[in-house]
Amino acid sequence: MGERSVGPRSPGQKQVLFLLLVLLSILATGCAEQAPLDYLNHPEGPVAQRQDELWDIVFAVATVIFVLVEGLLVYTIIRYRQKPGRKAAQFHGNTKAEVVLTLIPALILAGIAVPTVRAIFDLAEEPAGAIPITVVGKQFWWEYEYTEHDVITANELHIPVGRPVRLRIEGTDVIHSFWIPRLGGKQDVVPGRINYLTLEASEPGEYLGQCTEFCGLSHANMRLKVFAHPMEEWLDWVADQQQPATVDLASEGAKLFFEGTCVNCHAISGTDASARSGPDLTHFGSRTTFAGALFENNRDNLRRWLADPPREKPGALMPDYGLSAQEIDALIEFLLSLE
Ligand code: CUA
């Protein structure tokens, strides 16, 4: 046995101090005040509420188990620590202990399974009167099609308060995951599969979401926003979206759009532009954000974006078209006129 120093900073103490600092910094990451993606204890609708209740049950059970098991462990380590002259007891197997230690966890799991399975089945059911919306996850943005209302939009999802929406979730390229933490929604987007998710907001407001399955360079930049409106307001929004775009075809920006390459990927309803590989731009000017809800929709951001999309958002499929400053300004005017 080596001699141990007794100074205030012995190697053992340093390690303990280091571990404590690591633990403290991990704990500190949970202290953010402005954290719109925090969802524990922030359920904002009946789906999220149901999930939160389930979490509360499981957390309570897990806490009791943690305290019991760790308490016993620490007690045993201290009580039966090595002492000079004491020999450890030697034995092999203990059927009684093994049966008990298998039965207790099995019973706990069976108990937790009852509310869990019930919630899974309840939430999987399509509620009556739900509004159907098809969500398509693409690298790196979201397309929404309001199938009953003939509306297609991107990244910003508008829903009415107090009415469930039934999302049919599809993918075209790689696996994504659609997640709006405070509304309790998370569902994988799997190419070739159709998944469903029910959401409902109880209060009007903005809810942020995020792709939560690594899907390429701009996975972290694949965001989304949900706007929950009172029903009347939502119906007005739908009516606005149903209008074809008001397009000044004689403008310089429109010429660039329809005679250039933009039209090969983007749709504008009421015009010849009907491609679906990029976001539908029919009412682009009415959106608060663009490019996977990553940038606020304003002239400065659009200027930077149009100058070189993949520089602003790595992996973006829209290439740098080498547009001149004048062309960019004309396109910005055109895009913002699409209200
Ligand atoms: Cu899409 Cu990550």
Side-chain angles (χ1 to χ4, degrees):
M1 269 210 276
E3 243 179 279
R4 295 184 66 186
S5 74
V6 285
R9 285 285 186 274
S10 67
Q13 280 175 321
K14 265 187 193 168
Q15 277 169 1
V16 170
L17 200 67
F18 177 71
L19 275 176
L20 280 176
L21 277 175
V22 170
L23 203 66
L24 201 69
S25 50
I26 291 172
L27 281 174
T29 59
C31 293
E33 255 182 63
Q34 289 294 325
L37 295 181
D38 271 7
Y39 59 100
L40 292 174
N41 302 317
H42 292 290
E44 303 281 0
V47 177
Q49 216 131 25
R50 189 75 192 269
Q51 293 166 356
D52 198 60
E53 283 162 17
L54 207 54
W55 190 86
D56 285 346
I57 298 172
V58 176
F59 186 69
V61 174
T63 306
V64 171
I65 295 171
F66 178 82
V67 170
L68 267 177
V69 171
E70 294 305 308
L72 272 173
L73 186 68
V74 170
Y75 169 80
T76 313
I77 288 171
I78 294 169
R79 175 81 175 75
Y80 299 104
R81 69 186 183 280
Q82 189 208 26
K83 274 183 188 156
R86 186 154 83 184
K87 233 179 148 188
Q90 305 290 324
F91 57 88
H92 290 281
N94 182 329
T95 313
K96 214 187 263 175
E98 280 165 27
V99 169
V100 170
L101 290 179
T102 307
L103 266 181
I104 293 175
L107 286 173
I108 293 170
L109 288 178
I112 289 175
V114 174
T116 307
V117 171
R118 198 181 289 156
I120 288 172
F121 278 88
D122 286 353
L123 292 178
E125 219 158 283
E126 179 171 354
I131 295 161
I133 304 170
T134 298
V135 175
V136 187
K138 304 185 189 195
Q139 282 173 319
F140 299 95
W141 59 282
W142 304 93
E143 182 184 77
Y144 310 119
E145 182 169 1
Y146 294 69
T147 39
E148 265 180 13
H149 302 88
D150 204 21
V151 166
I152 299 176
T153 181
N155 301 317
E156 297 184 350
L157 183 69
H158 291 255
I159 61 172
V161 164
R163 178 94 176 262
V165 291
R166 181 72 165 171
L167 306 176
R168 178 189 153 106
I169 297 178
E170 300 174 11
T172 54
D173 40 41
V174 299
I175 300 176
H176 305 273
S177 193
F178 182 82
W179 190 36
I180 304 155
R182 292 204 170 170
L183 297 181
K186 189 188 238 183
Q187 185 60 265
D188 275 358
V189 180
V190 185
R193 266 195 76 109
I194 295 164
N195 285 331
Y196 291 92
L197 179 67
T198 301
L199 290 183
E200 184 181 332
S202 305
E203 297 291 332
E206 260 180 64
Y207 303 95
L208 296 192
Q210 165 75 49
C211 177
T212 172
E213 181 74 51
F214 182 71
C215 56
L217 279 179
S218 265
H219 158 66
N221 300 328
M222 189 169 167
R223 303 179 189 172
L224 64 117
K225 251 184 181 182
V226 179
F227 293 89
H229 307 273
M231 184 52 96
E232 286 297 307
E233 204 179 290
W234 182 75
L235 287 171
D236 286 346
W237 177 84
V238 170
D240 283 346
Q241 298 290 310
Q242 283 170 333
Q243 300 297 316
T246 40
V247 181
D248 175 11
L249 287 171
S251 68
E252 200 195 333
K255 280 186 196 147
L256 278 166
F257 186 92
F258 289 102
E259 289 162 22
T261 34
C262 315
V263 73
N264 295 335
C265 292
H266 296 283
I268 298 178
S269 89
T271 73
D272 291 340
S274 60
R276 294 274 287 268
S277 42
D280 185 298
L281 300 175
T282 307
H283 295 282
F284 179 82
S286 71
R287 293 185 202 148
T288 65
T289 57
F290 68 95
L294 182 60
F295 305 111
E296 202 185 307
N297 191 2
N298 61 40
R299 276 165 214 276
D300 283 347
N301 286 341
L302 282 168
R303 196 167 288 123
R304 270 198 290 275
W305 172 257
L306 290 171
D308 190 352
R311 182 191 63 202
E312 299 303 314
K313 190 177 168 190
L317 292 182
M318 178 163 147
D320 171 11
Y321 286 108
L323 298 163
S324 70
Q326 199 193 338
E327 288 171 326
I328 287 175
D329 281 340
L331 278 170
I332 292 174
E333 284 315 313
F334 173 69
L335 287 168
L336 292 178
S337 77
L338 301 169
E339 284 201 330

